[in-house]
């Protein structure tokens, strides 16, 4: 059984990017987009303010690459991207940045560093504002928590008072029950004594009537 390997056709693409693409770190961004990808070639600044990219690789890889480098992301703003496809010449071993003279590159890096510093300062300011807002929210949350705790303490005190009242009512009920039981016992003894006396009197009356010749 034979295994067949289909080789992807290698292509070359030339991209001329226009817009805010010089002194904003665009070449570094383009090179980063080739990292760990089978793309070779170069990127360089042109004298008219544009940037040229020559890249070789598989057509699928290059199409995705062209899409990724056509961006608007501060401070980069690609306003126009002219793309032309060619046959691969396989003349590059890696993807690199072709830099100009030292003075030009120094000024470009200073410009880019200044823009990045501005971005960092703006981000720091936003972070500080968010931190301040978070601190205010935390303070409000703490106040609400304190108020909730105070309310809980009041509720607990009220519950304790209610439990004390219930205990008092239970104690009163118990005392009342004991008093009623004692009253019943005393009343029962009193009635028993009274019935005994009444019975004695009835017997005496019956005897008296019998002696008088009266039958009852």
């Amino acid at each position: 059984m034979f295994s067949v390997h289909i080789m992807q056709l290698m292509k070359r693409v030339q991209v001329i990017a226009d817009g805010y693409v010089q002194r904003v770190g665009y070449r570094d961004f383009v090179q980063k987009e080739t990292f760990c990808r089978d793309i070779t070639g170069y990127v360089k600044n042109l004298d008219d303010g544009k940037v040229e990219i020559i890249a070789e690789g598989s057509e699928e890889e290059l199409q995705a690459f062209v899409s990724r480098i056509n961006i608007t992301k501060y401070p980069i703003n690609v306003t126009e991207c002219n793309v032309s496809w060619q046959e691969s010449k396989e003349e590059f071993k890696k993807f690199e940045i072709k830099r100009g003279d030292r003075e030009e590159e120094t000024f470009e890096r200073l410009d880019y560093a200044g823009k990045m510093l501005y971005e960092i300062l703006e981000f720091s300011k936003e972070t500080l504002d968010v931190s301040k807002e978070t601190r205010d929210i935390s303070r409000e949350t703490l106040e609400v928590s304190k108020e909730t705790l105070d309310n809980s303490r009041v509720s607990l005190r009220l519950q304790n008072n209610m439990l004390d009242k219930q205990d008092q009512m239970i104690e009163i009920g118990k005392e009342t029950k004991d008093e009623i039981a004692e009253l019943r016992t005393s009343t029962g003894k009193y009635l028993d004594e009274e019935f005994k006396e009444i019975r004695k009197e009835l017997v005496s009356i019956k005897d008296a009537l019998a002696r008088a010749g009266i039958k009852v």
Side-chain angles (χ1 to χ4, degrees):
M1 189 172 182
F2 296 97
S3 59
V4 179
H5 297 279
I6 300 175
M7 299 295 293
Q8 289 188 327
L9 183 63
M10 301 298 288
K11 301 286 288 185
R12 170 185 284 218
V13 66
Q14 180 191 42
V15 180
I16 304 298
D18 196 2
Y20 294 97
V21 290
Q22 290 193 16
R23 297 192 173 185
V24 290
Y26 181 59
R27 290 178 302 169
D28 294 277
F29 174 81
V30 171
Q31 185 186 42
K32 187 178 72 173
E33 289 303 313
T34 67
F35 184 71
C36 288
R37 296 184 173 96
D38 292 328
I39 298 176
T40 60
Y42 66 84
V43 56
K44 71 175 184 178
N45 286 340
L46 299 178
D47 294 336
D48 59 0
K50 299 177 184 179
V51 170
E52 179 188 38
I53 301 105
I54 299 292
E56 290 191 349
S58 70
E59 184 174 358
E60 181 180 359
E61 189 82 80
L62 292 177
Q63 286 178 345
F65 170 68
V66 170
S67 177
R68 289 194 303 270
I69 65 175
N70 186 10
I71 65 164
T72 297
K73 183 179 181 181
Y74 184 86
I76 301 169
N77 182 17
V78 178
T79 58
E80 187 176 352
C81 203
N82 294 316
V83 181
S84 61
W85 293 89
Q86 305 164 11
E87 294 300 320
S88 172
K89 299 179 181 180
E90 299 185 6
E91 59 179 302
F92 307 111
K93 293 183 178 180
K94 62 181 181 179
F95 194 93
E96 62 181 347
I97 298 174
K98 287 190 175 183
R99 302 192 181 277
D101 61 67
R102 181 174 298 179
E103 182 178 357
E104 178 187 353
E105 291 294 327
T106 300
F107 281 121
E108 176 161 350
R109 290 197 171 276
L110 285 174
D111 284 346
Y112 180 59
K115 290 181 175 65
M116 289 298 99
L117 180 59
Y118 175 78
E119 280 291 288
I120 292 171
L121 290 175
E122 285 296 310
F123 178 76
S124 299
K125 183 179 177 182
E126 291 177 3
T127 303
L128 184 63
D129 291 340
V130 170
S131 298
K132 183 179 178 182
E133 184 178 351
T134 302
R135 184 185 61 188
D136 293 339
I137 291 173
S138 298
R139 185 178 298 168
E140 291 176 2
T141 303
L142 183 61
E143 290 295 327
V144 171
S145 299
K146 183 179 178 182
E147 184 178 352
T148 303
L149 180 60
D150 291 339
N151 290 336
S152 298
R153 286 175 177 171
V154 172
S155 298
L156 183 60
R157 189 156 49 247
L158 291 174
Q159 289 177 1
N160 288 334
N161 291 336
M162 290 179 64
L163 289 173
D164 290 341
K165 295 294 184 184
Q166 288 178 358
D167 289 341
Q168 292 176 10
M169 293 296 294
I170 291 173
E171 190 63 30
I172 292 172
K174 183 179 178 181
E175 293 176 358
T176 303
K177 180 181 178 182
D178 293 341
E179 290 177 358
I180 291 172
E182 185 178 353
L183 179 61
R184 285 179 177 175
T185 301
S186 299
T187 303
K189 290 180 179 180
Y190 174 77
L191 291 176
D192 287 341
E193 294 296 331
E194 288 294 320
F195 286 147
K196 286 178 182 180
E197 292 297 326
I198 293 172
R199 190 176 294 110
K200 288 179 181 180
E201 291 180 2
L202 288 175
V203 171
S204 298
I205 293 171
K206 183 177 180 182
D207 290 342
L209 290 174
R211 286 194 298 271
I214 300 173
K215 293 182 179 182
V216 180

